[in-house]
Amino acid sequence: MSHITRVEIMSGETGEIRTIQDKEKVRLFLDEVKNIQFIPQENQEERSGFRYSVNLYKGNGKTFGFSMNMVNEHYYNTEPNLFPIVNKWFSGAKEEASN
């Protein structure tokens, strides 16, 4: 994950995208999410909508993406819950942008 240079978080509610580009903040974000366990959900029926999606970039190339409960078209629960972590970073990126 040390090659990640940018994290983009999109709100599924508003479509707003917040970007984390500061090298130290990218590292801190990755440290918080790297040990999240993704536990496959029994029900894999297709759904619509999402709370947040996260895309990781190396330079201009997307290397990986996930939502709060989906990775590579498979649905998961997360342990610990991924939403509060991503929500905190999304909110923090807004505060950073407005300063």
Side-chain angles (χ1 to χ4, degrees):
M1 293 282 210
S2 62
H3 63 281
I4 301 300
T5 57
R6 181 173 91 236
V7 177
E8 287 186 354
I9 304 171
M10 175 189 270
S11 167
E13 186 177 320
T14 66
E16 185 176 357
I17 296 174
R18 308 260 173 88
T19 303
I20 303 166
Q21 296 186 89
D22 177 81
K23 192 175 191 175
E24 180 63 14
K25 289 181 179 179
V26 168
R27 185 190 66 76
L28 290 170
F29 175 83
L30 295 173
D31 281 349
E32 284 195 55
V33 300
K34 72 180 179 186
N35 292 319
I36 299 281
Q37 292 181 24
F38 285 80
I39 304 151
Q41 293 181 357
E42 200 169 300
N43 178 358
Q44 289 293 318
E45 291 178 25
E46 189 173 336
R47 300 153 208 186
S48 62
F50 61 93
R51 293 171 101 178
Y52 291 113
S53 68
V54 177
N55 290 310
L56 309 178
Y57 292 85
K58 177 181 178 181
N60 290 327
K62 179 179 165 184
T63 61
F64 187 66
F66 58 93
S67 72
M68 298 302 88
N69 67 342
M70 187 172 75
V71 179
N72 296 330
E73 306 299 320
H74 292 91
Y75 294 98
Y76 296 89
N77 293 319
T78 57
E79 184 60 44
N81 187 347
L82 186 56
F83 176 77
I85 296 168
V86 174
N87 188 56
K88 174 185 77 171
W89 282 94
F90 185 82
S91 297
K94 178 180 182 179
E95 292 169 10
E96 183 178 303
S98 63
N99 289 333

XYZ file of all heavy atoms in Angstrom:
815
model
N 0.811 -1.194 0.000
C 0.000 0.000 0.000
C 0.860 1.267 0.000
O 0.327 2.357 -0.141
C -0.924 0.025 1.213
C -1.975 -1.034 1.194
S -3.305 -0.568 0.102
C -4.658 -1.344 0.859
N 2.156 1.132 0.150
C 3.022 2.312 0.214
C 3.059 3.072 -1.112
O 3.485 4.220 -1.154
C 4.431 1.915 0.629
O 4.985 1.051 -0.334
N 2.600 2.437 -2.182
C 2.600 3.095 -3.489
C 1.388 4.006 -3.705
O 1.334 4.754 -4.668
C 2.667 2.043 -4.595
C 1.459 1.139 -4.611
N 1.311 0.095 -3.734
C 0.342 1.150 -5.379
C 0.154 -0.511 -3.977
N -0.458 0.114 -4.960
N 0.406 3.983 -2.793
C -0.803 4.794 -2.936
C -0.449 6.265 -2.725
O 0.153 6.629 -1.719
C -1.895 4.355 -1.939
C -2.277 2.887 -2.150
C -3.121 5.262 -2.031
C -2.812 2.562 -3.523
N -0.849 7.107 -3.686
C -0.542 8.538 -3.606
C -1.777 9.393 -3.365
O -1.653 10.566 -3.026
C 0.123 9.019 -4.910
O -0.743 8.733 -6.015
C 1.466 8.332 -5.121
N -2.967 8.813 -3.530
C -4.191 9.594 -3.389
C -5.346 8.670 -3.024
O -5.438 7.549 -3.511
C -4.485 10.314 -4.710
C -5.711 11.177 -4.688
C -5.850 11.998 -5.978
N -6.631 11.280 -6.970
C -6.230 10.985 -8.195
N -5.024 11.324 -8.601
N -7.022 10.347 -9.026
N -6.229 9.177 -2.168
C -7.451 8.469 -1.791
C -8.625 9.380 -2.137
O -8.625 10.555 -1.759
C -7.477 8.143 -0.280
C -8.789 7.477 0.104
C -6.294 7.280 0.119
N -9.587 8.848 -2.878
C -10.810 9.594 -3.169
C -11.987 8.893 -2.501
O -12.145 7.684 -2.638
C -11.059 9.685 -4.668
C -10.126 10.624 -5.376
C -10.470 10.812 -6.844
O -11.376 10.138 -7.366
O -9.803 11.646 -7.472
N -12.782 9.680 -1.799
C -13.972 9.158 -1.130
C -15.177 9.873 -1.731
O -15.229 11.103 -1.743
C -13.919 9.402 0.387
C -12.645 8.808 0.995
C -15.171 8.820 1.057
C -12.418 9.200 2.444
N -16.129 9.092 -2.241
C -17.344 9.659 -2.833
C -18.546 9.342 -1.954
O -18.731 8.192 -1.540
C -17.600 9.100 -4.221
C -18.923 9.577 -4.814
S -19.372 8.735 -6.327
C -18.600 9.810 -7.497
N -19.355 10.358 -1.711
C -20.603 10.178 -0.986
C -21.650 9.638 -1.945
O -21.900 10.232 -2.997
C -21.072 11.515 -0.407
O -22.417 11.408 0.033
N -22.276 8.527 -1.588
C -23.357 7.986 -2.391
C -24.630 8.807 -2.257
O -25.518 8.735 -3.093
N -24.703 9.615 -1.230
C -25.877 10.452 -0.995
C -25.856 11.702 -1.864
O -26.865 12.081 -2.449
C -25.930 10.847 0.483
C -27.177 11.604 0.875
C -27.207 11.893 2.364
O -26.824 11.023 3.155
O -27.629 13.011 2.722
N -24.678 12.354 -1.962
C -24.595 13.637 -2.664
C -23.775 13.584 -3.955
O -23.840 14.505 -4.755
C -23.948 14.702 -1.769
O -22.581 14.342 -1.517
C -24.708 14.864 -0.463
N -22.955 12.542 -4.118
C -22.062 12.468 -5.275
C -20.793 13.276 -5.085
O -19.917 13.279 -5.948
N -20.674 13.956 -3.954
C -19.491 14.768 -3.675
C -18.274 13.879 -3.474
O -18.356 12.820 -2.855
C -19.732 15.611 -2.422
C -18.614 16.571 -2.122
C -18.926 17.463 -0.921
O -20.031 17.374 -0.364
O -18.034 18.241 -0.561
N -17.135 14.317 -4.014
C -15.880 13.579 -3.886
C -14.920 14.405 -3.053
O -14.732 15.597 -3.303
C -15.253 13.289 -5.264
C -16.171 12.382 -6.077
C -13.870 12.661 -5.099
C -15.710 12.161 -7.496
N -14.321 13.763 -2.071
C -13.286 14.389 -1.256
C -11.993 13.624 -1.489
O -11.995 12.396 -1.573
C -13.654 14.351 0.221
C -15.033 14.892 0.517
C -14.988 16.313 1.020
N -16.323 16.871 1.147
C -17.093 16.764 2.221
N -16.674 16.122 3.270
N -18.279 17.331 2.224
N -10.901 14.350 -1.575
C -9.619 13.751 -1.908
C -8.618 13.946 -0.771
O -8.508 15.043 -0.223
C -9.051 14.386 -3.194
O -10.019 14.209 -4.237
C -7.760 13.730 -3.613
N -7.904 12.887 -0.458
C -6.800 12.944 0.500
C -5.532 12.743 -0.316
O -5.356 11.695 -0.951
C -6.920 11.825 1.559
C -8.263 11.910 2.283
C -5.747 11.885 2.541
C -8.613 10.675 3.092
N -4.649 13.746 -0.319
C -3.422 13.669 -1.107
C -2.150 13.824 -0.273
O -1.086 13.426 -0.714
C -3.420 14.733 -2.206
C -4.518 14.525 -3.209
C -4.415 15.490 -4.355
O -3.752 15.204 -5.330
N -5.065 16.645 -4.214
N -2.284 14.433 0.907
C -1.130 14.583 1.777
C -0.570 13.200 2.108
O -1.313 12.318 2.570
C -1.542 15.322 3.054
C -0.407 15.456 4.038
O 0.423 16.363 3.854
O -0.355 14.626 4.978
N 0.710 13.009 1.852
C 1.345 11.689 1.982
C 1.125 11.075 3.374
O 0.806 9.893 3.494
C 2.840 11.826 1.688
C 3.564 10.555 1.512
C 5.010 10.829 1.095
C 5.686 9.570 0.648
N 7.031 9.805 0.143
N 1.269 11.877 4.416
C 1.100 11.371 5.783
C -0.359 11.007 6.051
O -0.646 9.986 6.672
C 1.593 12.405 6.798
C 1.465 11.966 8.236
C 2.289 10.739 8.616
O 3.187 10.340 7.837
O 2.019 10.156 9.680
N -1.294 11.811 5.572
C -2.715 11.518 5.775
C -3.137 10.272 4.989
O -3.934 9.481 5.481
C -3.574 12.719 5.407
C -3.414 13.838 6.415
C -4.281 15.020 6.082
C -4.074 16.095 7.150
N -4.859 17.273 6.883
N -2.591 10.101 3.796
C -2.875 8.881 3.025
C -2.392 7.668 3.824
O -3.110 6.683 3.965
C -2.210 8.926 1.630
C -2.245 7.565 0.962
C -2.882 9.982 0.753
N -1.194 7.761 4.375
C -0.636 6.655 5.167
C -1.517 6.367 6.381
O -1.822 5.208 6.691
C 0.792 6.973 5.612
C 1.461 5.793 6.332
C 2.769 6.185 6.984
N 2.609 7.140 8.071
C 2.161 6.838 9.291
N 1.785 5.615 9.582
N 2.049 7.766 10.217
N -1.952 7.424 7.074
C -2.811 7.240 8.252
C -4.142 6.586 7.882
O -4.624 5.698 8.586
C -3.051 8.583 8.946
C -1.844 9.184 9.662
C -2.142 10.616 10.103
C -1.423 8.329 10.840
N -4.746 7.027 6.773
C -5.997 6.419 6.313
C -5.788 4.927 6.038
O -6.557 4.087 6.505
C -6.505 7.117 5.047
C -7.720 6.458 4.467
C -8.982 6.748 4.949
C -7.600 5.533 3.436
C -10.113 6.123 4.421
C -8.711 4.901 2.901
C -9.977 5.197 3.406
N -4.743 4.607 5.302
C -4.473 3.210 4.962
C -4.194 2.375 6.212
O -4.623 1.217 6.289
C -3.302 3.119 3.977
C -3.578 3.738 2.605
C -2.302 3.745 1.764
C -4.703 3.021 1.885
N -3.515 2.951 7.190
C -3.269 2.243 8.444
C -4.575 1.897 9.149
O -4.701 0.843 9.763
C -2.391 3.071 9.385
C -0.914 3.025 9.022
O -0.512 2.203 8.167
O -0.152 3.840 9.596
N -5.561 2.795 9.052
C -6.842 2.547 9.715
C -7.670 1.473 9.020
O -8.436 0.772 9.676
C -7.656 3.836 9.816
C -7.162 4.760 10.899
C -8.164 5.842 11.224
O -9.327 5.518 11.546
O -7.777 7.023 11.146
N -7.546 1.361 7.704
C -8.415 0.421 6.984
C -7.726 -0.894 6.596
O -8.408 -1.844 6.217
C -9.034 1.063 5.719
C -9.875 2.270 6.089
C -8.006 1.420 4.692
N -6.416 -0.967 6.721
C -5.715 -2.145 6.199
C -6.051 -3.449 6.920
O -5.972 -4.513 6.322
C -4.201 -1.925 6.189
C -3.548 -1.924 7.546
C -2.069 -1.691 7.416
C -1.418 -1.661 8.785
N -0.020 -1.304 8.699
N -6.458 -3.388 8.176
C -6.750 -4.617 8.917
C -8.244 -4.891 9.062
O -8.639 -5.771 9.822
C -6.084 -4.570 10.292
C -4.579 -4.630 10.173
O -4.037 -5.382 9.366
N -3.887 -3.819 10.950
N -9.050 -4.142 8.324
C -10.500 -4.390 8.340
C -10.748 -5.776 7.747
O -10.198 -6.132 6.713
C -11.253 -3.328 7.508
C -11.037 -1.935 8.071
C -12.728 -3.670 7.373
C -11.847 -1.577 9.267
N -11.579 -6.542 8.424
C -11.951 -7.858 7.906
C -13.232 -7.718 7.091
O -14.196 -7.118 7.548
C -12.184 -8.834 9.052
C -10.945 -9.177 9.819
C -11.269 -10.171 10.924
O -12.244 -10.913 10.868
N -10.441 -10.181 11.943
N -13.211 -8.276 5.889
C -14.389 -8.302 5.029
C -14.974 -9.703 5.106
O -14.341 -10.673 4.698
C -14.012 -7.932 3.591
C -13.744 -6.462 3.414
C -12.527 -5.906 3.781
C -14.714 -5.620 2.887
C -12.282 -4.548 3.630
C -14.480 -4.262 2.735
C -13.264 -3.726 3.105
N -16.183 -9.793 5.658
C -16.852 -11.072 5.887
C -17.970 -11.202 4.860
O -18.907 -10.390 4.860
C -17.405 -11.133 7.321
C -16.258 -10.887 8.324
C -18.117 -12.448 7.580
C -16.690 -10.262 9.613
N -17.896 -12.199 3.959
C -18.913 -12.333 2.907
C -20.326 -12.437 3.486
O -20.567 -13.156 4.447
C -18.533 -13.625 2.186
C -17.092 -13.834 2.504
C -16.887 -13.257 3.881
N -21.243 -11.683 2.906
C -22.644 -11.773 3.297
C -23.258 -12.998 2.637
O -22.879 -13.374 1.522
C -23.409 -10.522 2.871
C -22.998 -9.279 3.602
C -23.794 -8.059 3.164
O -24.630 -8.116 2.272
N -23.516 -6.936 3.808
N -24.189 -13.606 3.303
C -24.879 -14.762 2.744
C -25.674 -14.368 1.498
O -25.658 -15.061 0.489
C -25.806 -15.359 3.805
C -26.185 -16.782 3.514
C -26.881 -17.401 4.709
O -26.273 -17.472 5.786
O -28.043 -17.810 4.524
N -26.362 -13.236 1.566
C -27.178 -12.758 0.456
C -26.291 -11.951 -0.496
O -25.846 -10.849 -0.159
C -28.326 -11.891 0.980
C -29.183 -11.328 -0.127
O -28.940 -11.525 -1.314
N -30.214 -10.608 0.263
N -26.055 -12.456 -1.688
C -25.232 -11.777 -2.683
C -26.073 -11.193 -3.825
O -25.546 -10.872 -4.879
C -24.168 -12.738 -3.240
C -23.076 -13.087 -2.258
C -22.193 -11.893 -1.923
O -21.818 -11.117 -2.786
N -21.866 -11.741 -0.641
N -27.403 -11.031 -3.584
C -28.258 -10.435 -4.611
C -27.851 -8.985 -4.842
O -27.505 -8.261 -3.904
C -29.722 -10.488 -4.171
C -30.282 -11.899 -4.141
C -31.721 -11.924 -3.652
O -32.427 -10.900 -3.778
O -32.130 -12.973 -3.144
N -27.923 -8.553 -6.095
C -27.536 -7.196 -6.471
C -28.387 -6.154 -5.754
O -29.572 -6.344 -5.542
C -27.674 -7.011 -7.982
C -27.085 -5.723 -8.469
C -27.065 -5.615 -9.980
O -27.085 -6.660 -10.656
O -27.023 -4.484 -10.470
N -27.730 -5.057 -5.374
C -28.397 -3.952 -4.688
C -28.049 -2.656 -5.391
O -27.136 -2.604 -6.196
C -27.918 -3.864 -3.239
C -28.216 -5.129 -2.473
C -27.254 -5.326 -1.361
N -27.158 -6.771 -1.146
C -26.508 -7.328 -0.184
N -25.875 -6.593 0.684
N -26.474 -8.628 -0.076
N -28.754 -1.612 -5.042
C -28.435 -0.307 -5.619
C -28.098 0.662 -4.497
O -28.541 0.511 -3.364
C -29.596 0.225 -6.450
O -30.731 0.406 -5.628
N -27.296 1.669 -4.829
C -26.925 2.696 -3.877
C -25.746 2.306 -3.012
O -25.393 1.138 -2.911
N -25.128 3.333 -2.419
C -24.007 3.117 -1.505
C -23.859 4.342 -0.624
O -24.305 5.429 -0.974
C -22.708 2.842 -2.271
C -22.279 3.971 -3.176
C -21.407 4.949 -2.735
C -22.761 4.059 -4.479
C -21.027 5.996 -3.563
C -22.382 5.097 -5.320
C -21.511 6.066 -4.862
N -23.235 4.163 0.522
C -23.008 5.295 1.430
C -21.748 6.046 1.020
O -21.764 7.254 0.869
C -22.899 4.792 2.863
C -24.230 4.235 3.361
C -24.076 3.555 4.670
N -24.525 4.426 5.746
C -24.525 4.058 7.005
N -24.073 2.884 7.359
N -24.949 4.888 7.935
N -20.653 5.328 0.909
C -19.396 5.896 0.433
C -18.711 4.866 -0.442
O -18.810 3.661 -0.195
C -18.430 6.215 1.586
C -18.836 7.348 2.471
C -19.188 7.124 3.795
C -18.844 8.662 2.004
C -19.544 8.164 4.627
C -19.201 9.710 2.836
C -19.552 9.446 4.143
O -19.906 10.491 4.959
N -17.989 5.361 -1.438
C -17.064 4.491 -2.169
C -15.681 5.102 -2.013
O -15.531 6.326 -1.890
C -17.445 4.360 -3.643
O -17.248 5.581 -4.322
N -14.688 4.242 -1.990
C -13.308 4.670 -1.793
C -12.482 4.145 -2.959
O -12.567 2.961 -3.304
C -12.739 4.107 -0.465
C -11.277 4.493 -0.285
C -13.578 4.576 0.720
N -11.698 5.025 -3.568
C -10.788 4.624 -4.636
C -9.376 5.020 -4.252
O -9.135 6.137 -3.777
C -11.171 5.274 -5.966
C -12.457 4.705 -6.509
O -12.628 3.497 -6.596
N -13.382 5.567 -6.867
N -8.451 4.085 -4.462
C -7.039 4.304 -4.170
C -6.291 4.460 -5.479
O -6.526 3.704 -6.424
C -6.471 3.127 -3.369
C -7.249 2.717 -2.118
C -6.590 1.505 -1.461
C -7.384 3.865 -1.141
N -5.379 5.432 -5.530
C -4.653 5.743 -6.763
C -3.153 5.724 -6.546
O -2.660 6.115 -5.486
C -5.031 7.141 -7.269
C -6.449 7.236 -7.752
C -7.495 7.473 -6.876
C -6.749 7.083 -9.101
C -8.794 7.559 -7.318
C -8.059 7.166 -9.553
C -9.067 7.409 -8.660
O -10.364 7.496 -9.099
N -2.462 5.309 -7.581
C -1.020 5.489 -7.696
C -0.850 6.429 -8.878
O -1.153 6.059 -10.017
C -0.309 4.170 -7.960
C 1.188 4.340 -8.150
C 1.868 3.024 -8.445
C 3.356 3.265 -8.673
N 4.037 2.024 -8.994
N -0.422 7.669 -8.597
C -0.394 8.665 -9.660
C -1.810 8.896 -10.153
O -2.724 9.103 -9.365
N -2.017 8.800 -11.456
C -3.354 8.973 -12.028
C -4.094 7.658 -12.222
O -5.228 7.656 -12.685
C -3.259 9.717 -13.368
C -2.862 11.162 -13.167
O -3.212 11.773 -12.172
N -2.116 11.705 -14.116
N -3.455 6.537 -11.914
C -4.078 5.233 -12.134
C -4.758 4.681 -10.895
O -4.161 4.613 -9.818
N -6.020 4.303 -11.043
C -6.761 3.675 -9.944
C -6.216 2.274 -9.734
O -6.126 1.482 -10.673
C -8.250 3.626 -10.286
C -9.107 2.982 -9.232
C -10.568 3.005 -9.659
C -11.397 2.071 -8.846
N -12.782 2.019 -9.313
N -5.865 1.958 -8.488
C -5.325 0.632 -8.196
C -6.327 -0.278 -7.501
O -6.249 -1.493 -7.624
C -4.058 0.722 -7.316
O -4.396 1.331 -6.078
C -2.964 1.510 -8.009
N -7.286 0.330 -6.770
C -8.240 -0.488 -6.030
C -9.416 0.388 -5.623
O -9.245 1.583 -5.374
C -7.575 -1.073 -4.775
C -8.413 -2.062 -4.020
C -8.741 -3.285 -4.580
C -8.878 -1.772 -2.757
C -9.528 -4.202 -3.887
C -9.657 -2.674 -2.046
C -9.973 -3.891 -2.616
N -10.600 -0.203 -5.539
C -11.774 0.524 -5.098
C -12.726 -0.382 -4.333
O -12.759 -1.590 -4.567
N -13.476 0.213 -3.409
C -14.452 -0.547 -2.629
C -15.494 0.411 -2.082
O -15.284 1.626 -2.035
C -13.775 -1.318 -1.496
C -13.004 -0.457 -0.525
C -13.595 0.022 0.623
C -11.676 -0.139 -0.768
C -12.893 0.809 1.522
C -10.956 0.641 0.122
C -11.565 1.118 1.270
N -16.641 -0.145 -1.695
C -17.648 0.642 -0.990
C -17.721 0.105 0.429
O -16.952 -0.775 0.804
C -19.006 0.575 -1.697
O -19.585 -0.695 -1.532
N -18.652 0.608 1.205
C -18.733 0.202 2.607
C -19.087 -1.267 2.778
O -18.777 -1.872 3.793
C -19.758 1.048 3.375
C -19.433 2.526 3.434
S -17.839 2.931 4.169
C -16.747 2.867 2.760
N -19.719 -1.859 1.763
C -20.096 -3.266 1.893
C -19.876 -4.069 0.614
O -20.397 -5.173 0.492
C -21.555 -3.398 2.351
C -22.535 -2.908 1.316
O -22.185 -2.169 0.401
N -23.775 -3.321 1.453
N -19.094 -3.535 -0.342
C -18.888 -4.271 -1.581
C -17.460 -4.091 -2.097
O -16.924 -2.993 -2.099
C -19.860 -3.793 -2.667
C -19.796 -4.653 -3.918
S -21.092 -4.254 -5.119
C -20.481 -2.733 -5.794
N -16.886 -5.227 -2.501
C -15.579 -5.242 -3.146
C -15.685 -6.206 -4.325
O -16.136 -7.348 -4.158
C -14.461 -5.728 -2.188
C -13.117 -5.766 -2.884
C -14.400 -4.865 -0.937
N -15.282 -5.740 -5.502
C -15.297 -6.598 -6.694
C -16.627 -7.314 -6.908
O -16.676 -8.517 -7.137
C -14.158 -7.625 -6.639
C -12.806 -6.967 -6.683
O -12.624 -5.909 -7.268
N -11.837 -7.590 -6.044
N -17.718 -6.544 -6.788
C -19.080 -7.064 -7.034
C -19.532 -8.124 -6.028
O -20.481 -8.857 -6.285
C -19.207 -7.617 -8.468
C -18.794 -6.642 -9.550
C -19.629 -5.369 -9.576
O -20.849 -5.451 -9.396
O -19.039 -4.290 -9.761
N -18.864 -8.234 -4.889
C -19.271 -9.145 -3.822
C -19.594 -8.321 -2.580
O -18.892 -7.358 -2.268
C -18.171 -10.168 -3.500
C -17.944 -11.131 -4.609
N -17.021 -10.914 -5.603
C -18.537 -12.306 -4.895
C -17.049 -11.922 -6.456
N -17.969 -12.775 -6.046
N -20.653 -8.720 -1.869
C -21.120 -7.979 -0.707
C -20.534 -8.550 0.577
O -20.438 -9.771 0.739
C -22.648 -7.999 -0.644
C -23.250 -7.253 -1.808
C -23.697 -7.929 -2.937
C -23.341 -5.869 -1.789
C -24.236 -7.239 -4.017
C -23.879 -5.166 -2.863
C -24.319 -5.859 -3.962
O -24.845 -5.172 -5.029
N -20.161 -7.624 1.483
C -19.496 -7.994 2.718
C -20.026 -7.182 3.895
O -20.512 -6.071 3.721
C -17.990 -7.693 2.626
C -17.267 -8.504 1.593
C -17.164 -8.068 0.284
C -16.671 -9.713 1.937
C -16.493 -8.812 -0.674
C -16.003 -10.460 0.984
C -15.915 -10.013 -0.313
O -15.255 -10.753 -1.261
N -19.875 -7.731 5.079
C -19.940 -6.977 6.320
C -18.492 -6.739 6.707
O -17.605 -7.510 6.309
C -20.651 -7.760 7.420
C -22.118 -7.955 7.108
O -22.791 -7.050 6.630
N -22.622 -9.152 7.370
N -18.239 -5.688 7.474
C -16.860 -5.416 7.867
C -16.733 -5.432 9.384
O -17.659 -5.092 10.114
C -16.384 -4.047 7.339
O -17.248 -3.023 7.815
C -16.327 -4.045 5.828
N -15.569 -5.843 9.832
C -15.263 -5.887 11.254
C -13.877 -5.319 11.460
O -12.917 -5.870 10.922
C -15.336 -7.329 11.750
C -15.141 -7.489 13.228
C -16.170 -6.735 14.062
O -17.368 -6.751 13.778
O -15.714 -6.100 15.018
N -13.720 -4.200 12.143
C -14.788 -3.373 12.669
C -15.553 -2.691 11.541
O -15.130 -2.742 10.390
C -14.048 -2.344 13.542
C -12.692 -2.253 12.943
C -12.401 -3.617 12.389
N -16.633 -2.027 11.888
C -17.479 -1.347 10.911
C -16.660 -0.279 10.180
O -16.073 0.605 10.800
C -18.677 -0.719 11.625
C -19.701 -0.146 10.680
O -19.463 0.024 9.474
N -20.857 0.167 11.207
N -16.623 -0.366 8.874
C -15.846 0.540 8.041
C -16.464 1.935 7.942
O -15.752 2.935 7.800
C -15.709 -0.084 6.644
C -14.833 0.578 5.618
C -13.413 0.752 6.132
C -14.820 -0.244 4.335
N -17.788 2.030 8.040
C -18.463 3.311 7.834
C -17.947 4.439 8.728
O -17.637 5.526 8.229
C -19.980 3.166 7.977
C -20.698 4.476 7.871
C -20.906 5.072 6.637
C -21.134 5.139 9.017
C -21.548 6.304 6.533
C -21.770 6.367 8.915
C -21.972 6.951 7.684
N -17.848 4.271 10.058
C -17.394 5.397 10.890
C -15.982 5.879 10.528
O -15.690 7.068 10.611
C -17.425 4.850 12.320
C -18.234 3.627 12.275
C -18.195 3.112 10.862
N -15.137 4.976 10.115
C -13.771 5.347 9.739
C -13.795 6.212 8.486
O -13.210 7.297 8.442
C -12.910 4.085 9.516
C -12.770 3.309 10.828
C -11.541 4.458 8.939
C -12.198 1.915 10.670
N -14.493 5.749 7.452
C -14.539 6.496 6.190
C -15.305 7.803 6.377
O -14.910 8.840 5.843
C -15.133 5.624 5.063
C -15.329 6.430 3.794
C -14.230 4.424 4.796
N -16.373 7.775 7.150
C -17.144 8.987 7.415
C -16.263 10.052 8.074
O -16.327 11.230 7.719
C -18.357 8.656 8.287
C -19.290 9.827 8.437
O -19.761 10.390 7.458
N -19.551 10.197 9.680
N -15.440 9.651 9.028
C -14.537 10.582 9.698
C -13.572 11.214 8.696
O -13.366 12.428 8.698
C -13.744 9.841 10.787
C -12.664 10.680 11.445
C -11.835 9.868 12.409
C -10.856 9.014 11.622
N -9.861 8.345 12.425
N -13.002 10.395 7.799
C -12.057 10.918 6.809
C -12.756 11.805 5.782
O -12.207 12.810 5.341
C -11.293 9.776 6.142
C -10.216 9.264 7.038
C -10.284 8.223 7.912
C -8.895 9.802 7.181
N -9.092 8.076 8.561
C -8.221 9.035 8.135
C -8.229 10.857 6.573
C -6.895 9.292 8.505
C -6.921 11.117 6.946
C -6.266 10.344 7.897
N -13.966 11.431 5.385
C -14.726 12.254 4.447
C -14.983 13.626 5.058
O -14.769 14.660 4.418
C -16.049 11.557 4.082
C -16.857 12.273 3.037
C -16.563 12.110 1.695
C -17.903 13.100 3.390
C -17.315 12.759 0.713
C -18.658 13.753 2.424
C -18.345 13.579 1.081
N -15.435 13.655 6.309
C -15.690 14.920 6.999
C -14.411 15.717 7.192
O -14.404 16.931 7.023
C -16.338 14.651 8.353
O -17.589 14.022 8.180
N -13.323 15.050 7.535
C -12.045 15.722 7.728
C -11.509 16.329 6.442
O -10.919 17.405 6.458
N -11.736 15.658 5.322
C -11.283 16.182 4.029
C -12.050 17.454 3.680
O -11.504 18.372 3.082
C -11.442 15.132 2.935
N -13.317 17.552 4.094
C -14.105 18.761 3.841
C -13.547 19.921 4.655
O -13.370 21.021 4.144
C -15.575 18.533 4.208
C -16.429 19.773 4.010
C -17.866 19.499 4.379
C -18.709 20.747 4.135
N -20.099 20.523 4.459
N -13.242 19.657 5.922
C -12.684 20.699 6.777
C -11.350 21.176 6.225
O -11.061 22.358 6.209
C -12.510 20.175 8.200
C -13.835 19.914 8.905
C -13.675 19.148 10.198
O -12.534 18.969 10.662
O -14.702 18.720 10.745
N -10.528 20.251 5.755
C -9.225 20.588 5.196
C -9.384 21.472 3.959
O -8.670 22.436 3.779
C -8.479 19.307 4.839
C -7.085 19.526 4.312
C -6.407 18.206 4.023
O -6.304 17.376 4.936
O -5.994 18.013 2.869
N -10.345 21.135 3.101
C -10.561 21.881 1.869
C -11.061 23.295 2.150
O -10.774 24.218 1.406
C -11.545 21.147 0.965
N -11.813 23.481 3.239
C -12.368 24.797 3.528
C -11.393 25.698 4.286
O -11.641 26.875 4.447
C -13.677 24.672 4.312
O -13.448 24.070 5.568
N -10.288 25.159 4.756
C -9.275 25.974 5.470
C -8.376 26.689 4.494
O -8.135 26.352 3.430
C -8.429 25.098 6.397
C -9.235 24.629 7.602
O -10.179 25.291 8.019
N -8.858 23.502 8.143
